């Protein structure tokens, strides 16, 4: 049985820290950083990268198109 | 092939528009200009030249449909009369702000308010000095015959496209409603979309990969950038004053008194000049054809020759301000005008001139 | 030549088209012409008038206060326009429905009972052509040939079969016009 | 052994990236603004349908006035409320182009009411996108025709009083009654499923235009966290709880 | 009881309107003036003075609601900014044509088109010379401080009712958005319906058997009657020029050079006068407070004294026309202005004056 | 022995006479114009309700622009399409007065669309009378939003082409959907029974206003013999045959 | 049994000859005159006065309020 | 006395209200004042600034290009306004999030780490008052008494219970402000 692993890349320069991606992630991958970017926003990042399934929900709801999503199928580690 | 016809000024505009190859007309009925759209609808140019004619839900819709069409680089026009033109002021300011060429016809009636439907020239200031907000001007042409109603369609479009600026034909109920003979020009082809894309690289045609996207807009939130834009626009107006001032002189060579009048009023004044000359008064007439750019330089020249000028207009005194500004105190400039739809007779103009300059 | 004419009557009497035919006749004769209607909702009231000027020279105002000729087709127009005829000028009127006949003694007055004649001819539409005939008899500013050319030009093609009828009406007008007073 | 993140992030594994039709320009919207999501979806649909060269957009006056900075197509910026008239002008003269307008609720349902209704009634063969965030975002949060009963805005700081200002205006159901519209739907953009549906609607609307079916009208119920004075996440919740009952999602007309 | 407060110009207008006893406000949001309605909605005067405040669906609806309220003899006002004011031009012409008093505030921003939201003075011609159709004028007041934003509400209504003519307060984004201290007047009572019926016998109040019906209208289809109406209106404007011209002079007594500026520009010019005087140049400032009626007579007087005038305005040159018309060539009149939302500094004005009159 | 006419014509036998609220001024309308009938009925209702001193009317731009010359009440003449806004201004400032607007189909359903919809949506406590004659009478017979499919007018001399101009707009059914309206009805004025019904509607509308129920909206389907180029009798027949199917008479809303 | 007799008075000065009264009369009382009034209209008049039942239909539909209606109940002439 | 100040930072840092309190303090002290915000949708971008002028004389333009004092609360504002301080003028800034510190050597530079301090005080809302305290320490254009009066005037009644907290924050600001460079 194949498992799916995903990863996202957040453009931390343009991220406005709106948290919509955080809310939309089914596997609770994303958090907002404690630090702010140059615009003063707490940008998003992968807090639990292993949990990401590459579903792209986060990217879809991101108003600022900051998220790029990658996905691979991997053999289940039994 | 040109053609001699008897027709109303309003009809002539419609016929000339089709023949010149105008792409679209958007309008809303109002007396005394409804014949423009009626004629177009009767002639159904969409079946021949492909010209679009649409009755809009209002003048505001018309002028904004113009904004859409003009942004595509198309030759679009609308016509209305005074109250309808007032409603277009925001739209005109946007058209000027987005540097869009287009032609608007105002067949003026007496105001203010709903007023009268009879002819007047009381929208001069609105047309020439600023109806809408912001520093902009329209190119303003004043026809004084049915022939010019036809001819100025072409002229207005040529100037509008030369400067990428809206042009207004300032007519009135008299010129719009009267019939005269008129020579219509032969049919021209409308410009193809391809030629258009080449000639008007600013027009929205759908963005090909070969160029940046075209944006028709009048917004600029950065004041310094917006000031630069404004300077550019002002430079266009300077250029117009150099290159495109048009006027007609009538017996000015030896004139001691000058009538200044445009449009329907100028027709009448021509007769007044005759009457004055018959009385031994050396009168002449300068008829501005372009009200903007205004023939101020010419008037200034004549100021060195004549003893007085009388601005004659169907209004309380609007043109007269531009005449005064042009001569800047060099000669006395007086005003004569009727209002509210009353047309002055040639004789009244004679009297007014005598009263102002020759008695007491 | 400079002839300044007002034609006035009820809407529906063909006032405007009579003026247009006259003007077109002028064009055919190589003259300068102007045709200026009363316009707008005051026409709701049921009256219409048109000013026609035929001239050898460029025409200044198409709107006038005094006329060389008034062609008057109802009482209201009589009341309104009788006094606008220049001394020595011409007034042509249809007697139908006129309760107060013209009273001026300094103008030439002719009457052409076109309404009566049209109903005799069983063709109400020719009314205005009869009047035109009457006027042209008194003041032949344009030739009959040019009138017919003008008529042709101002009628849409699909009505050209009516040309003979109209010609007959104009002729009839020239026959029935009668002098009331001359100066 | 667990896969490293850097092993996943490879071109061949890419499943979602910013469409190339979006420009590099950073959007000026507030954090979490619905406009951003819808702007992006429009770009994606134009890209996917491969109609970039044949599309002309019309932006309104409202927060999305500068939308033309974000999508790589030709644009007209229309006067407040007049986008449907501008769109009409474009489409009548360039019937070969895809034309869409994009308007807020103040723009489309207040000052532009007449233009909206008449463009739809004539059945102009265009797409109208209507972002209903229940407020005038751009000018600082004033009451819109669509502001809910009791909802606060800067011109109804104590909540919209329907006795004084009338009830929220449902323009979408009005235009659905007009014979000129072929497709009228109300969507949202706050969750991934909503986004997928909305995208489908947008695609359909462009296809309708290709098929000359008349006016397609897509309302997107959205948020304005600045105007509503909530954060984006709260705004979405509030929207679900309060806006959706009054502006229920779904197709209203599809002929 | 009057009260000292720190507030924005826009807020001051709202506060002053309530305190003066205004009956109704109708408006539509637009930057940079939305605080006017926002302040009113926050203050809820309908619960205290009974003043009606309604957000209209557009500027066109606003101005026509004004027409309804004003015809009833009520004190009604609206506010907007440039594009919104352009949309009101038909309505303003109707209000003038029906001789209705009311107050419109234009917090001007840079144009043309959507332009910028930053301050400008580029709607001068529209306000003063004719935005709408027909021969009419608005009474135009130009505040140059937050205090005047408050004070001119009353002044505008007094003049509007004196002449039965709409009045416009021509402000701009700077005066509208800035806070200054302002002394607010004590609350006045609104006029009762009964008093109103006595004071304004022309107002529609429901027709009692004791008088003819009152008709608020601007239509007159008879040209001669309409011309009489127009003459009557023109006579009002003459009277305004005699009785109600307002201006402020600053160091004009011994001035050799005169700055002419209004509103926000005049504030800056006051500093420029100081700077010029520090440089030994005898400068003065005339600030028109009423732009219509314009203080032309005063300028003409000063033309006999000074060597040159510089009209300073945030526009390409609109006020300058009125200055030139006033002095009619007696002294050179030059123009200096920034555009597009850029505000000139006092130093730039100094330079402009020097460049125009003192170098070469 | 047969009664002589002169014996019948006595003050005590009077059953119908021109109401004293109508002025002596002869109406400027064309023969047979619906406006005349409706003008008269409004005068009668105001007279019968005895609210002359408390009524303010608003006339439009259209053939009824000069309606203020005919009924002995106070009047405002509004700009084209703006009567609902003018009526709003009056009513908000004089809530103690009865306020009604009177508009044609060009005025109310074209240029004035936004004002119509928003006054109704706010539920302004006024009466709006809407004369739908399917044409722009005053300006000489141009196409109106309500012109029927195929119907000729000076700006559609070959008949309204719905592909080009859209279908007839039914404003009355739109305003009926708005929560601010309390009474929406469509009536006619071409026969005595129709006149009686219309009068009843008018009376009810004024009563609604007294009871502060919101906006009453009365459409009168009428004729324009000049614009239609038929005589008045033909016009009525044509109206029955062609207008009534598209604009069916009867109450649409009554709450 | 009482019969009803009616009569109308037409203001022939303001009548515009529209014929709507003619059409609306249930008993065919009214006709348009052959002559015109000062405005040029063929005004209405009672052609069959005996038939008038005073129902006021004509007056109700008259756009120009030209018709005044009178009515009496009379004993049936048997 | 004539002090021309720009205060600039993120929206939400209380830039505008800080300016208003300062201006109101000036009013309380009998000065002429003006307060001019940046306005409009550019505020969407997340930055805000306000120009405050306190003067003994009538104020001409409330919009300036050079300032006596710049109070700078984020990097963007540092980039935009550092160069606008008049030589010899004052720049006060909060170090939080500043990546490029001020570099001018012809002005007086002070730093007040108000963000840090506010989070220590567990009261983010007092941030701007701490900054104000720091500024007033360096340039006491208004007395503390008038500041408190100004604060009272500019806060709605319902927030008056916060006055002591704000006063404490201002005091704290006077304590933590530190000199970076002076000329
Ligand atoms: C004629 C005119 N009136 C008013 C404005 C001011 N204005 C700009 S945007 C806007 C409304 C914005 O609200 P909405 O359409 O809902 O868009 P949003 O910002 O919420 O997306 C207004 C009233 C204007 N620019 N032009
Ligand atoms: C702003 C403006 N636009 C256009 C007109 C011209 N106009 C006068 S009445 C009218 C329409 C009349 O039609 P309708 O409202 O149906 O009334 P009707 O005459 O049929 O009763 C128009 C377009 C005007 N007076 N003002
Ligand atoms: S949705 Fe986008 S902008 Fe919002 S926090 Fe996530 S990445 Fe940042
Ligand atoms: S791709 Fe899916 S799982 Fe991964 S972060 Fe985004 S929403 Fe979460
Ligand atoms: S103000 Fe509202 S609508 Fe505008 S960008 Fe911000 S969140 Fe979006
Ligand atoms: S034009 Fe039509 S609507 Fe107007 S008065 Fe004549 S019949 Fe009536
Ligand atoms: S209905 Fe009235 S106007 Fe018409 S014919 Fe009869 S009486 Fe005359
Ligand atoms: S009252 Fe009745 S019966 Fe008599 S004429 Fe009139 S309609 Fe006919
Ligand atoms: Mg919105
Ligand atoms: Mg109509």
């Amino acid at each position: 049985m194949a498992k799916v692993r995903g990863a996202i890349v957040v453009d931390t320069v343009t991220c406005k820290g709106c948290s919509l991606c955080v809310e939309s992630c089914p596997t609770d991958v994303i958090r907002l950083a404690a630090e702010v970017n140059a615009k003063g926003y707490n940008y998003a990042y992968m807090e639990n990268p292993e949990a990401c399934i590459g579903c792209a929900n986060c990217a879809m709801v991101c108003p600022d198109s900051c998220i790029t999503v990658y996905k691979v199928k991997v053999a289940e580690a039994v | 092939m040109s053609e001699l016809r008897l027709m109303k000024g309003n009809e002539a505009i419609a016929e000339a528009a089709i023949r010149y190859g105008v792409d679209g007309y958007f309008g809303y009925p109002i007396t005394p200009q409804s014949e423009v759209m009626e004629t177009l609808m009767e002639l159904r140019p969409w079946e021949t030249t492909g010209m679009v004619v649409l009755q809009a839900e209002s003048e505001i819709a018309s002028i904004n449909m113009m904004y859409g069409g003009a942004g595509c680089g198309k030759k679009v026009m609308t016509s209305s009369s005074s109250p309808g033109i007032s409603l277009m002021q925001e739209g005109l300011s946007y058209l000027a702000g987005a540097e869009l060429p287009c032609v608007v016809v105002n067949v003026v009636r007496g105001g203010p308010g709903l007023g009268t439907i009879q002819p007047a020239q009381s929208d001069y200031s609105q047309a020439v000095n600023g109806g809408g907000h912001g520093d902009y001007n329209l190119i303003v042409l004043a026809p004084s015959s049915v022939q010019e109603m036809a001819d100025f369609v072409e002229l207005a479009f040529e100037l509008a496209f030369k400067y990428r600026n809206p042009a207004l034909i300032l007519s009135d109920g008299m010129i719009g409603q009267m019939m005269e003979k008129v020579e219509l020009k032969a049919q021209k082809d409308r410009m193809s979309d391809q030629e258009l894309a080449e000639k008007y690289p600013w027009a929205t045609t759908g963005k090909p990969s070969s160029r940046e996207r075209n944006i028709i807009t009048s917004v600029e939130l950065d004041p310094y950038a917006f000031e630069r834009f404004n300077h550019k626009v002002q430079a266009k107006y300077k250029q117009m004053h150099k290159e495109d001032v048009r006027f007609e002189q009538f017996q000015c060579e030896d004139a001691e008194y000058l009538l200044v009048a445009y449009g329907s009023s100028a027709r009448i004044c021509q007769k007044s000049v005759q009457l004055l000359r018959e009385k031994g008064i050396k009168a002449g007439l300068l008829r501005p054809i372009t009200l903007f750019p205004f023939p101020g330089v010419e008037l200034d020249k004549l100021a060195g020759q004549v003893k007085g000028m009388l601005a004659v207009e169907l209004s309380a005194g609007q043109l007269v301000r531009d005449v005064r500004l042009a001569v800047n105190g060099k000669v006395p400039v007086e005003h004569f005008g009727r209002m509210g739809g009353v047309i002055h007779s040639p004789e009244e103009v004679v009297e007014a001139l005598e009263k102002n300059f020759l008695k007491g | 030549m400079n002839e300044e004419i007002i034609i006035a009557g009820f809407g529906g009497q063909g006032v405007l088209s009579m003026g247009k035919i006259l003007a077109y006749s002028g064009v055919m004769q190589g003259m300068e012409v102007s045709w200026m209607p009363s316009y707008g909702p005051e026409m709701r009231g049921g009256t219409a008038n048109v000013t026609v000027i035929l001239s050898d020279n460029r025409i200044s105002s198409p709107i006038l206060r005094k006329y060389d000729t008034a062609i008057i087709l109802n009482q209201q127009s009589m009341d309104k326009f009788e006094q606008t005829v220049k001394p020595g000028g011409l007034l042509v009127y249809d007697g139908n429905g006129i309760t107060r006949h013209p009273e001026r003694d300094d103008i030439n007055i002719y009457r052409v009972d076109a309404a009566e004649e049209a109903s005799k001819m069983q063709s109400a539409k020719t009314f205005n052509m009869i009047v035109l005939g009457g006027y042209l008899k008194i003041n032949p500013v344009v030739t009959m040939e040019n009138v017919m050319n003008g008529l042709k030009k101002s009628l849409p093609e699909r009505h050209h079969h009516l040309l003979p009828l109209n010609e007959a009406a104009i002729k009839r007008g020239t026959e029935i016009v009668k002098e009331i007073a001359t100066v | 052994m667990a896969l490293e993140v850097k092993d996943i992030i490879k071109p061949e594994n890419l499943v979602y990236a910013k469409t190339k039709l979006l420009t590099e320009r950073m959007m000026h919207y507030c954090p979490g603004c619905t406009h951003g999501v819808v702007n992006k979806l429009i770009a994606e649909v134009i890209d996917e349908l491969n109609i970039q060269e044949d599309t002309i957009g019309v932006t309104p006056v409202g927060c999305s006035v500068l939308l033309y900075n974000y999508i790589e197509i030709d644009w007209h910026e229309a006067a407040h409320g007049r986008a449907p008239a501008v769109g009409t002008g474009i489409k009548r003269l360039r019937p070969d182009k895809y034309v869409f307008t994009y308007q807020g609720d103040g723009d489309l349902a207040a000052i532009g009411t007449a233009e909206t209704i008449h463009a739809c009634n004539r059945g102009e063969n265009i797409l109208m996108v209507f972002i209903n965030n229940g407020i005038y975002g751009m000018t600082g949060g004033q009451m819109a025709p669509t502001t809910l009963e009791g909802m606060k805005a800067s011109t109804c700081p104590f909540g919209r009083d329907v006795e004084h200002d009338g009830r929220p205006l449902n323009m979408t159901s009005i235009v659905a009654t007009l014979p000129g519209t072929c497709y009228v739907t109300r969507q949202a953009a706050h969750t991934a499923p909503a986004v997928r549906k909305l995208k489908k609607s947008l695609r359909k609307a462009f296809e309708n235009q290709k098929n000359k079916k008349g006016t397609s009208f897509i309302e997107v119920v959205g948020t304005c966290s600045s105007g509503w004075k909530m954060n984006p996440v709260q705004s979405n919740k509030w929207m679900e709880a309060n806006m959706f009952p009054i502006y229920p999602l779904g197709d209203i007309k599809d002929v």
Side-chain angles (χ1 to χ4, degrees), chain B residues 23 33 76 236 251 264 331:
Chain B
D23 296 302
Q33 67 76 47
V76 289
K236 294 202 292 195
Q251 312 213 357
S264 56
V331 285

Short mmCIF file of all heavy atoms in Angstrom, two decimals, chain B residues 23 33 76 236 251 264 331:
data_model
loop_
_atom_site.label_atom_id
_atom_site.label_comp_id
_atom_site.label_asym_id
_atom_site.label_seq_id
_atom_site.Cartn_x
_atom_site.Cartn_y
_atom_site.Cartn_z
N ASP B 23 -17.20 52.82 -35.32
CA ASP B 23 -17.41 51.43 -34.91
C ASP B 23 -18.62 51.23 -34.02
O ASP B 23 -19.22 50.16 -34.02
CB ASP B 23 -16.17 50.94 -34.14
CG ASP B 23 -14.93 50.91 -35.01
OD1 ASP B 23 -14.96 50.21 -36.05
OD2 ASP B 23 -13.94 51.58 -34.67
N GLN B 33 -32.14 65.85 -29.83
CA GLN B 33 -31.12 65.13 -30.59
C GLN B 33 -31.48 63.67 -30.86
O GLN B 33 -30.63 62.94 -31.37
CB GLN B 33 -29.76 65.21 -29.88
CG GLN B 33 -29.69 64.48 -28.54
CD GLN B 33 -29.59 62.99 -28.62
OE1 GLN B 33 -28.80 62.47 -29.39
NE2 GLN B 33 -30.44 62.31 -27.86
N VAL B 76 -15.82 55.22 -31.15
CA VAL B 76 -17.16 55.20 -30.57
C VAL B 76 -17.67 56.60 -30.33
O VAL B 76 -16.90 57.53 -30.07
CB VAL B 76 -17.18 54.41 -29.24
CG1 VAL B 76 -17.00 52.92 -29.50
CG2 VAL B 76 -16.12 54.92 -28.27
N LYS B 236 -0.20 68.03 -23.91
CA LYS B 236 -1.07 67.77 -25.07
C LYS B 236 -1.90 69.01 -25.38
O LYS B 236 -2.11 69.37 -26.53
CB LYS B 236 -2.04 66.61 -24.78
CG LYS B 236 -1.41 65.27 -24.60
CD LYS B 236 -2.41 64.13 -24.86
CE LYS B 236 -3.51 64.03 -23.84
NZ LYS B 236 -4.24 62.74 -23.90
N GLN B 251 -14.95 89.06 -43.05
CA GLN B 251 -14.77 90.51 -43.18
C GLN B 251 -13.97 91.11 -42.04
O GLN B 251 -14.30 92.18 -41.52
CB GLN B 251 -16.13 91.20 -43.32
CG GLN B 251 -17.00 90.50 -44.37
CD GLN B 251 -17.90 91.46 -45.12
OE1 GLN B 251 -17.95 92.66 -44.86
NE2 GLN B 251 -18.61 90.93 -46.11
N SER B 264 -24.53 78.33 -33.94
CA SER B 264 -25.74 78.95 -34.49
C SER B 264 -25.67 80.47 -34.36
O SER B 264 -26.13 81.19 -35.24
CB SER B 264 -26.98 78.41 -33.78
OG SER B 264 -26.89 78.62 -32.40
N VAL B 331 -8.51 95.54 -25.69
CA VAL B 331 -9.68 96.27 -26.19
C VAL B 331 -10.87 95.91 -25.32
O VAL B 331 -10.89 94.85 -24.71
CB VAL B 331 -10.06 95.92 -27.66
CG1 VAL B 331 -9.10 96.54 -28.64
CG2 VAL B 331 -10.19 94.42 -27.84
#
